[in-house]
Amino acid sequence: MDNEGIDRRGLSSEKKRLLIYAHYYIPDTASTGQILKELAEGLLDQFDITVICVVPSYLGTIEDRYKAHKFYRENINGVKVLRIRVPEFSKANKASRIKNILSYFLGAMIATFKVGKMDYVFSISQPPVLGGLLGVWGKWVNRLRGGHTKFIYNIQDFNPEQILAVNYSRNRLVIGAMMLLDKFSCRQSNLIITVGRDLVETVKHRFKGKKVPKTVMINNWIDEKEIYPLPADDPKVMEFKKKYGLDGKFVIMYSGNIGLYYDLEKLVKMLKQFRKGHTLTGKWEDGLKTADGREVVFAFVGAGSVLAKLVSYKERHHFENMVFIPYQKKEDLIYSLNAADVHWCVNAKGIKGVSVPSKAYGIMAVGAPILVVLEEGTEARKLIEETNCGRCCEPGNYECVAQNIRWFIERAGTGVVKQMGANGREFLEKNLTREVSVRRYAEEILKL
C-alpha cells in the first residue's frame, strides 16, 4: 500500500480515462462495492480506471493502518484506488453515520484534484443524493481543466423516494431539497444507467412533461464462475453448517444487509408461528418438521441497523430455531449461500421503482429456490416470475408469506423445489452474467 506521497505510474495514453466514485470498494462487503469492483476490472481493456472510495469501513470500524494519513493510494488488480480516511461509526447511530458520509463526500471532492484529467466520470447513487453530486463535481472540475468530460450516473437506488418508502423522514423541506438536488444530478448527467425496468419508469416520472435525461437499463449481475451450486456434502458447506448449528436442518436463509428497507421486523414477528415446537397446524408438539423429516431453521446472515431488534425479539420469544450469523468474507460467500435450502428475497412496500435487491442474483447463481416478498412489477420479481425460480407475495401480505413457507416445508427435498433452483441458475448463465452486463456498460459509455 502506497501513501499520499507516492507518484502515479502505469498510466496509458491509449485508453480513455474513467474516474469512478464508489463510496465503498473491496474488501468492503457492500453489494455496490462488489459490483463496482467487478465492473472496474471488467472495463480495464477499454479504460484506464481510477476509483475514489473510503478506506475499508463498511461495518463501522477502521484498521489502524488506515488511520495515519488522509489519503491512501493502492493498485488492486490493475485498478488505481484512492482511499479517503473517514471517522468510525455505528450503523445504529444516525449522527455518526452522517458524519462518516459527509467526511467521504468532502474528502472525495478534494481527491478529485489528485487524480488528473478524466474523459469520463462515473458515480453511483450512494451515498443518497451526494453520490450524484460527486459525479457533477467531477464533471465540472475536469471541464475546468479543459476536457470534454462526460458524466455517467449509475442509479442503484432512488432517493428521496427510498427514504419516503420506509418512513425514515417525512420532513418536507429535507425531502424537497433532496429531490431538487438529485434531479439536478440527473440533468447534469450525459447518461443515466439504472438497474431495473421499473427504475427507468421512475426517471420518466420524475421528469414528467419535461425533457427526460438519456436513460438505459443494465441489470446487475453475479460472477457465475465465483458463485455456483455446490453439492450438499461439500466439505466447506458442511463446515459452515456445523459451525452455526445448521447441519441436518432445512435452512431458510436471509443473506445481506439487515437494514431498514426490508420489513424484517414484521416478517420475524410473522415467523413466530414457525418456532421450534410448533407444527404446521399450530400445535406445540415435537417440533416443526419438513416432509423429509428435517427441523426448520431460519438463518439471518449479515449485519445492519435493525439486527439488534431482531436478536432481541428472538430472545424474548425463545425462538430457538432462529440463528444470526455474521457477514461472510467474499471468498466464503459461495459456502454460506449454498448452505440454504431456500433463500429470502425481500423489500419493504414502496420500494417498487426505487431499488433492485442484488441478492436475487446470488441466490439464482447457487441454484436455490426463492421466497419472494416483492411488489408486482419490480425488476427482481419479474425475473423470478419469468424464470419460475421462486414463489411470490406482496410486501405486507404476511398470510401469503406464511403459506409459501409452508409450501416449501411440505415439499422439501422434492423435484419441484430442486427444479425451481435449477431454473434460476440456467437463466442467470444466459442473461445475468458479469460478461454480458460489463460489455453493455462499455458500449453505452463509449457511445457518448
Side-chain angles (χ1 to χ4, degrees):
M1 178 176 66
D2 299 328
N3 65 22
E4 173 57 14
I6 299 299
D7 62 1
R8 303 167 196 142
R9 295 170 304 213
L11 299 183
S12 169
S13 59
E14 298 176 1
K15 298 178 183 178
K16 295 290 187 179
R17 300 193 67 195
L18 171 64
L19 171 63
I20 299 176
Y21 294 101
H23 193 191
Y24 293 111
Y25 196 69
I26 59 164
D28 275 326
T29 55
S31 59
T32 51
Q34 300 297 325
I35 286 286
L36 290 177
K37 174 259 185 188
E38 293 174 3
L39 176 62
E41 293 179 8
L43 292 173
L44 282 172
D45 285 344
Q46 294 93 352
F47 302 94
D48 189 298
I49 296 177
T50 299
V51 171
I52 293 177
C53 61
V54 296
V55 298
S57 55
Y58 181 60
L59 298 180
T61 58
I62 297 172
E63 296 179 28
D64 288 342
R65 65 190 179 118
Y66 286 110
K67 294 180 179 179
H69 303 279
K70 180 62 180 176
F71 299 99
Y72 292 84
R73 293 188 186 275
E74 301 175 341
N75 189 299
I76 303 177
N77 300 329
V79 176
K80 290 176 284 298
V81 180
L82 179 56
R83 295 192 185 274
I84 302 159
R85 189 188 72 223
V86 290
E88 294 185 329
F89 69 97
S90 166
K91 291 201 172 189
N93 185 310
K94 189 184 294 187
S96 73
R97 292 192 74 175
I98 291 173
K99 181 179 179 182
N100 176 277
I101 288 170
L102 288 177
S103 294
Y104 162 66
F105 179 69
L106 296 173
M109 291 180 73
I110 296 169
T112 304
F113 293 102
K114 297 177 177 289
V115 296
K117 187 159 56 173
M118 296 288 164
D119 300 293
Y120 302 96
V121 171
F122 182 104
S123 186
I124 64 168
S125 52
Q126 292 294 331
V129 179
L130 299 182
L133 292 176
L134 280 176
V136 176
W137 173 256
K139 176 180 177 178
W140 286 359
V141 168
N142 279 281
R143 291 204 167 183
L144 285 173
R145 292 167 169 166
H148 299 282
T149 306
K150 304 295 177 64
F151 166 36
I152 301 95
Y153 191 14
N154 181 214
I155 300 182
Q156 297 277 335
D157 310 283
F158 277 100
N159 275 291
E161 290 92 339
Q162 187 167 233
I163 289 172
L164 287 168
V166 297
N167 290 313
Y168 190 71
S169 173
R170 288 285 174 181
N171 186 305
R172 283 189 169 188
L173 287 175
V174 172
I175 296 300
M178 291 179 69
M179 181 62 80
L180 284 172
L181 289 170
D182 207 52
K183 287 175 71 174
F184 171 73
S185 297
C186 290
R187 290 193 190 97
Q188 287 293 313
S189 71
N190 298 94
L191 174 66
I192 296 172
I193 299 177
T194 73
V195 293
R197 286 165 279 185
D198 51 328
L199 274 68
V200 173
E201 293 304 312
T202 300
V203 177
K204 294 177 182 178
H205 178 75
R206 275 188 170 189
F207 295 93
K208 197 171 183 179
K210 299 179 181 179
K211 183 179 179 182
V212 179
K214 182 180 179 182
T215 306
V216 298
M217 191 278 283
I218 303 176
N219 283 113
N220 281 344
W221 64 88
I222 196 77
D223 190 334
E224 79 285 0
K225 295 174 184 175
E226 288 187 4
I227 306 294
Y228 49 85
L230 291 172
D233 60 353
D234 179 88
K236 289 283 190 178
V237 175
M238 293 299 297
E239 180 183 339
F240 175 85
K241 286 184 174 182
K242 288 177 181 177
K243 182 175 181 179
Y244 295 106
L246 308 179
D247 192 24
K249 308 291 178 62
F250 182 78
V251 181
I252 300 176
M253 180 180 288
Y254 175 90
S255 179
N257 179 31
I258 304 177
L260 294 170
Y261 307 122
Y262 310 103
D263 197 31
L264 293 175
E265 290 180 72
K266 291 181 180 178
L267 283 172
V268 163
K269 290 177 182 178
M270 178 276 298
L271 292 178
K272 186 178 178 181
Q273 62 190 284
F274 297 102
R275 283 180 302 168
K276 184 176 182 180
H278 275 100
T279 64
L280 288 178
T281 60
K283 295 180 180 179
W284 189 272
E285 295 179 0
D286 293 337
L288 184 61
K289 298 285 183 69
T290 62
D292 56 4
R294 288 178 286 167
E295 289 187 3
V296 177
V297 62
F298 297 93
F300 291 80
V301 182
S305 57
V306 302
L307 174 60
K309 293 180 180 178
L310 303 192
V311 172
S312 175
Y313 184 86
K314 170 197 168 170
E315 293 172 349
R316 290 199 316 272
H317 294 277
H318 309 288
F319 209 140
E320 296 178 26
N321 57 324
M322 181 179 292
V323 298
F324 295 93
I325 300 169
Y327 268 118
Q328 301 299 295
K329 295 178 181 177
K330 186 173 186 290
E331 59 267 25
D332 294 331
L333 186 61
I334 183 174
Y335 308 118
S336 62
L337 290 177
N338 270 284
D341 295 275
V342 181
H343 276 276
W344 292 98
C345 185
V346 306
N347 262 344
K349 194 171 185 62
I351 299 296
K352 179 180 179 179
V354 174
S355 178
V356 177
S358 292
K359 59 176 62 66
Y361 305 110
I363 300 167
M364 295 169 81
V366 297
I370 309 176
L371 254 171
V372 183
V373 188
L374 301 171
E375 291 169 275
E376 188 174 0
T378 55
E379 179 65 24
R381 179 162 171 174
K382 281 183 177 180
L383 291 174
I384 292 163
E385 288 175 333
E386 289 164 3
T387 59
N388 188 27
C389 64
R391 291 181 65 85
C392 302
C393 287
E394 286 288 309
N397 190 344
Y398 305 112
E399 182 179 347
C400 176
V401 177
Q403 289 173 353
N404 281 347
I405 292 172
R406 293 188 185 99
W407 188 92
F408 280 111
I409 290 172
E410 292 168 351
R411 291 163 179 78
T414 64
V416 65
V417 174
K418 293 177 181 177
Q419 185 59 49
M420 268 189 173
N423 291 344
R425 174 69 193 189
E426 181 181 358
F427 181 82
L428 180 135
E429 289 178 350
K430 294 178 180 177
N431 303 281
L432 301 173
T433 65
R434 171 183 174 181
E435 181 181 353
V436 169
S437 292
V438 171
R439 182 174 65 247
R440 286 207 58 207
Y441 268 93
E443 290 170 352
E444 293 295 342
I445 293 171
L446 290 171
K447 283 180 189 176
L448 297 176

